[in-house]
Amino acid sequence: METVLKIGDALQRFVARVGKIAAWAGVALIVLTMFDVITRRFFVLGSTKLQELEWHLHTVLFMFCLGYAYVKDQHVRIDLVRERLPERTKSWIEILGILLALIGYCCMLIYFSFPWMVQSFEQNEMSSSATGLSHRFLIKAALPAGFLLLLMAGLGVLCKRIVHLFGPPYLSAIALADRT
């Protein structure tokens, strides 16, 4: 069980590290948006590249921080009933949710988005705007990468919840502690 816990910790640490780095895209997005608004409003300058870069930063922020939110248990939940349940029941619900929904959903999205990204790369896809950004495959790569990170986060949580339910008591408490 200690090995399962170590695997879960390693997965969660990696996802958290990527999420913390990607969160800086939020700062860049704020600065870029302010610059774009100010230059459009006061200097009547507009840039398609700036607007597309804003969309790309939104994508990076969302896709690479989704797994981090799951690791930190900060994702959207319907907590009306769940918060009143004992921790063991929460673990069972989490395990079932990961096995029945998250793994299949992430695998399906990775499976379908990866060829879409490869096709974009092979075609050297660019923006439909003449003044837009090139290398569209880079932003399309955020989809399979982001869902891979979410899958890794789910597997990390799964490992920890399994240790919580089936591991020895001293590991059970460690498994639920926030160690990322």
Side-chain angles (χ1 to χ4, degrees), residues 19-171:
K20 288 175 183 177
I21 293 168
W24 284 98
V27 175
L29 181 60
I30 290 167
V31 171
L32 183 65
T33 303
M34 287 173 49
F35 177 79
D36 189 27
V37 168
I38 290 168
T39 56
R40 282 180 186 274
R41 174 70 173 104
F42 298 109
F43 303 110
V44 194
L45 298 172
S47 172
T48 304
K49 286 184 181 182
L50 281 179
Q51 283 191 325
E52 287 186 5
L53 188 56
E54 289 171 24
W55 302 337
H56 290 196
L57 287 172
H58 272 106
T59 303
V60 167
L61 190 60
F62 181 78
M63 293 309 302
F64 293 148
C65 292
L66 190 60
Y68 181 56
Y70 190 67
V71 163
K72 291 294 190 178
D73 200 25
Q74 296 298 309
H75 56 295
V76 176
R77 289 189 185 272
I78 302 172
D79 286 334
L80 296 172
V81 176
R82 185 182 179 277
E83 289 306 313
R84 296 186 182 115
L85 298 174
E87 203 58 50
R88 290 187 61 78
T89 305
K90 290 180 189 178
S91 288
W92 277 110
I93 292 170
E94 195 76 38
I95 288 171
L96 289 172
I98 291 168
L99 293 175
L100 298 176
L102 187 133
I103 291 174
Y105 181 75
C106 287
C107 288
M108 181 181 66
L109 287 169
I110 293 167
Y111 177 80
F112 285 110
S113 64
F114 188 77
W116 185 57
M117 182 266 306
V118 170
Q119 180 184 18
S120 178
F121 173 76
E122 289 172 345
Q123 294 175 351
N124 195 25
E125 184 180 4
M126 300 174 71
S127 171
S128 56
S129 172
T131 59
L133 296 173
S134 60
H135 300 71
R136 181 150 291 171
F137 73 92
L138 290 173
I139 200 60
K140 288 186 176 184
L143 265 67
F147 285 112
L148 180 61
L149 285 168
L150 180 59
L151 178 61
M152 291 170 71
L155 293 174
V157 170
L158 178 66
C159 289
K160 287 188 163 189
R161 290 296 181 157
I162 287 172
V163 170
H164 173 248
L165 286 176
F166 304 110
Y170 75 96
L171 284 180

